[in-house]
Amino acid sequence: MANKSYNAFEMAQAQFDRVADLIGLDGATKDLLRYNLREYHVSIPVKMDDGTVKVFRGFRVQHNDARGPAKGGIRFHPMETIDTVRALAMWMTWKCAVVDIPLGGGKGGVVCDPHNLSMREQEQICRGWVRQLARDMGPLRDVPAPDVMTSAQHMLWILDEFETIHGARLPGFITGKPVGMGGSLGRTEATGYGVIFTVREALKELNIPPGDTKASVQGFGNVAQYAIELYQQIWGKVVCVSCWDQKDQTSYSFYKEDGIDLGALRGITDRFGGIEKDKAKKIGYEVLPGEAWIEQDVDILIPAALENQITKNNVGKMSDRVKIIAEGANGPTAPEADNVIKERGIFLIPDLLANAGGVTCSYFEQVQSNMNYYWEKDEVLGKLDTKMTSAFNAVSELAKKRKLYMRDAAYVIAVGRVAQACKDRGWV
Ligand code: NAD
C-alpha cells in the first residue's frame, strides 16, 4: 500500500489488458472493463475521545455490476489509497465471476489506523462512512464486507446505521456480520479454508500427498490462521509464519523446524494478527527477519498478508523445492516476479481463485439473510468446498487445454463471463 514505485491499479489493468488481448476482447468492452463504473470519495468528521474533531477520508469503488450487485470488503489502513481500492474492486469482479456467483465487484476503504483508535472512534468512522454512501449502496446495489483491520463488529455498526437511515431491517446489505445477528457460520474460516481446498486439489494434480509437504505462510491474520488450521488437518506441516510488528514498525518471521503449534501461537497473537515476539522466543520459535518466510525450504508458499510482497527483489530467494504458491492475499505478486514464477513452472493458484472462499461464503450469507433461515456450519463449508473445487477444476482444465499459466486461465474465464454479461445486457 505504501510503496511509491508500485501502483496496484496499474498492475490490475496490466493483468486485464493481457487477458483482453488473449481473448480478443473488442475495444468498447475493453474500455469499459479496464476502469471502474463508479467511485465515491467521502470525508468523515469524527468527534474524538479527547473532544477534538478529526476528518477521515474514505472511498467506495464499484468496478462492475453486470452479473449482480457490487460486492467487496471495506479496509481500515493508514496507507490506503484510491488506486489500491480501485484495483481491489476490479479484482473482486473477476473473483466473483471465476467462482460463478451472481455478484459484481466493489471495494471500500478508510484512511485510518485502528491501532490508535478507540472502539468508540472506530464505530463513529463506520457510521460516518455509511451515512455518506447510504444512497449509493444497498442489498441490490453494493454489499460491503470485512477486510484488513475490520471485523464483524464493524459490519454490525455499518448495518445498524444503514438500517436506521432506511427505517427497515436489511440484513442482506452487508456480510461478515456476527453469527446470531445475521452472520453465516463458517464465514470466519471461509477464506483460509478456501485457500486450502484449492491447495488440496493442486496437490492431487501434482500427485503429492499433503502429509509429505511443508509450507511457509506470510501473515498470521484471519486468512493465514484458517489456512494453516485446515492445512494441518490434512497433515501438512507449517514451518514458518510472518507478521507485522506494530511496536517495531517492521515485520518478522517465526520459524519452527518441527512445525508451528497453531493454538499456542494464536494464544500470543493480538487481534491484528501480530505475534508477540518475546513470548514466541520463549516457546521455541526462531525469530527471523520479515522476508525470511519466502526463503524457506518448503513445497508450498502462502502469501496471506498484503499486496506486492513477492517482488523482483525477493523472488530469486525462493527455494528450488517450492512447487505451489497459493495467493491468500489479494495481489501479493508483482508482475516481474510473476514472470519468474511462470518460467520456473511453479503451480500458481492465483488470488482471484485461491482466496475466493470469503466472497463465496459472503454470498451464502446473503442467501441465508434473504431467506431468514440459517444453515449448519458443515452445510456451509460443504457447499464452499463444492464451489471452490469446481472453480479450481474449471481453471486448471482450461490451463491444461490451452497451455496457459493458471493466472491467465482464471482471468480468461472471469473476464469472459463479465464481458458476456455486459454484452447480454446491451451495454457494449
Ligand atoms: P488481517 O488483518 O486479519 O491479517 C493480516 C496479517 O498480515 C497480519 O498477521 C499482519 O500482521 C500481517 N502483515 C501485515 N503486513 C505485513 C508485512 N509487511 N509482512 C508480514 N506480515 C504482514 O487480514 P486478512 O483478513 O487475513 O487478509 C489478508 C489478505 O487477504 C489481504 O490481502 C486481504 O485483502 C486478503 N483477503 C482477505 C479476505 C478475508 O475474508 N479476510 C478475503 C479475501 C482476501
Side-chain angles (χ1 to χ4, degrees):
M1 250 174 250
N3 190 337
K4 280 205 180 86
S5 65
Y6 159 82
N7 181 306
F9 188 46
E10 284 170 10
M11 174 173 141
Q13 286 185 317
Q15 286 169 343
F16 166 74
D17 288 343
R18 203 173 64 231
V19 176
D21 293 340
L22 203 66
I23 61 176
L25 217 54
D26 64 87
T29 310
K30 191 171 164 181
D31 201 17
L32 182 69
L33 294 180
R34 79 190 299 278
Y35 292 96
N36 295 290
L37 280 181
R38 290 174 286 274
E39 63 181 52
Y40 306 91
H41 296 238
V42 299
S43 295
I44 310 161
V46 170
K47 192 165 276 177
M48 307 299 281
D49 291 348
D50 65 5
T52 60
V53 174
K54 200 167 163 192
V55 181
F56 294 87
R57 310 291 166 200
F59 317 106
R60 185 70 188 175
V61 173
Q62 295 160 357
H63 171 255
N64 190 281
D65 53 12
R67 287 173 45 88
K71 181 87 192 81
I74 163 176
R75 296 173 152 202
F76 283 178
H77 198 282
M79 268 122 30
E80 194 61 273
T81 67
I82 183 63
D83 273 342
T84 309
V85 179
R86 284 172 175 147
L88 290 161
M90 184 189 275
W91 286 328
M92 283 305 297
T93 304
W94 313 140
K95 198 180 296 188
C96 292
V98 85
V99 282
D100 205 10
I101 53 179
L103 294 168
K107 202 79 180 189
V110 177
V111 186
C112 69
D113 188 352
H115 292 97
N116 308 324
L117 295 164
S118 69
M119 289 312 273
R120 191 201 65 81
E121 289 165 340
Q122 291 182 49
E123 176 180 350
Q124 293 314 307
I125 293 176
C126 287
R127 291 184 186 277
W129 182 80
V130 74
R131 270 200 301 275
Q132 303 290 352
L133 291 161
R135 281 176 300 275
D136 303 298
M137 301 183 74
L140 304 176
R141 289 181 168 196
D142 182 1
V143 181
D147 202 276
V148 175
M149 289 202 267
T150 57
S151 66
Q153 176 62 74
H154 297 95
M155 299 307 108
L156 197 55
W157 287 325
I158 292 173
L159 177 65
D160 184 69
E161 191 69 26
F162 184 81
E163 290 183 332
T164 303
I165 292 165
H166 290 279
R169 290 281 167 254
L170 297 159
F173 165 56
I174 204 159
T175 61
K177 302 181 287 294
V179 171
M181 290 297 291
S184 174
L185 289 167
R187 175 63 186 86
T188 314
E189 294 87 346
T191 309
Y193 276 26
V195 171
I196 301 305
F197 291 143
T198 65
V199 167
R200 181 197 63 201
E201 294 306 306
L203 286 169
K204 256 188 228 165
E205 278 207 12
L206 298 175
N207 241 325
I208 306 171
D212 292 352
T213 62
K214 285 202 280 188
S216 177
V217 180
Q218 189 193 32
F220 198 63
N222 172 270
V223 179
Q225 289 187 27
Y226 286 100
I228 294 169
E229 186 174 283
L230 188 61
Y231 176 63
Q232 290 184 335
Q233 281 172 24
I234 60 170
W235 306 109
K237 193 195 314 182
V238 176
V239 291
C240 188
V241 298
S242 74
C243 69
W244 181 252
D245 187 298
Q246 182 61 16
K247 228 180 342 175
D248 296 356
Q249 287 291 298
T250 188
S251 56
Y252 293 107
S253 299
F254 297 81
Y255 179 80
K256 200 169 203 184
E257 173 79 50
D258 52 357
I260 68 152
D261 176 339
L262 183 60
L265 263 194
R266 273 177 167 156
I268 55 167
T269 298
D270 66 23
R271 66 197 162 92
F272 302 107
I275 299 167
E276 291 186 54
K277 83 173 175 306
D278 295 335
K279 289 189 181 164
K281 272 187 203 159
K282 274 194 196 134
I283 58 170
Y285 287 83
E286 216 178 305
V287 179
L288 304 168
E291 285 225 332
W293 74 278
I294 205 174
E295 300 165 14
Q296 300 307 315
D297 183 37
V298 292
D299 309 277
I300 302 167
L301 289 175
I302 305 180
L306 287 178
E307 53 277 355
N308 196 35
Q309 296 301 306
I310 305 181
T311 64
K312 64 175 188 303
N313 300 325
N314 63 15
V315 69
K317 295 182 183 163
M318 275 187 328
S319 149
D320 289 341
R321 179 169 169 172
V322 173
K323 296 172 193 73
I324 295 175
I325 298 177
E327 295 183 328
N330 288 311
T333 309
E336 303 92 335
D338 206 26
N339 289 334
V340 175
I341 292 167
K342 195 171 171 175
E343 276 158 27
R344 275 185 53 178
I346 292 172
F347 197 118
L348 177 102
I349 312 174
D351 49 3
L352 69 161
L353 174 63
N355 71 34
V359 73
T360 303
C361 195
S362 285
Y363 163 60
F364 294 157
E365 179 178 331
Q366 249 196 324
V367 172
Q368 294 169 82
S369 286
N370 292 341
M371 289 192 300
N372 207 8
Y373 174 76
Y374 291 86
W375 306 329
E376 296 299 328
K377 188 167 174 178
D378 283 353
E379 187 173 354
V380 176
L381 294 176
K383 284 179 163 48
L384 181 68
D385 193 349
T386 306
K387 239 353 192 170
M388 295 297 295
T389 302
S390 83
F392 176 92
N393 288 336
V395 173
S396 144
E397 270 161 33
L398 183 71
K400 276 183 281 187
K401 195 164 123 202
R402 289 188 46 190
K403 295 196 172 30
L404 293 173
Y405 186 44
M406 280 287 280
R407 191 186 309 283
D408 292 342
Y411 265 88
V412 165
I413 291 177
V415 174
R417 283 181 180 152
V418 178
Q420 191 60 47
C422 294
K423 264 194 188 54
D424 291 347
R425 283 180 178 276
W427 291 358
V428 281

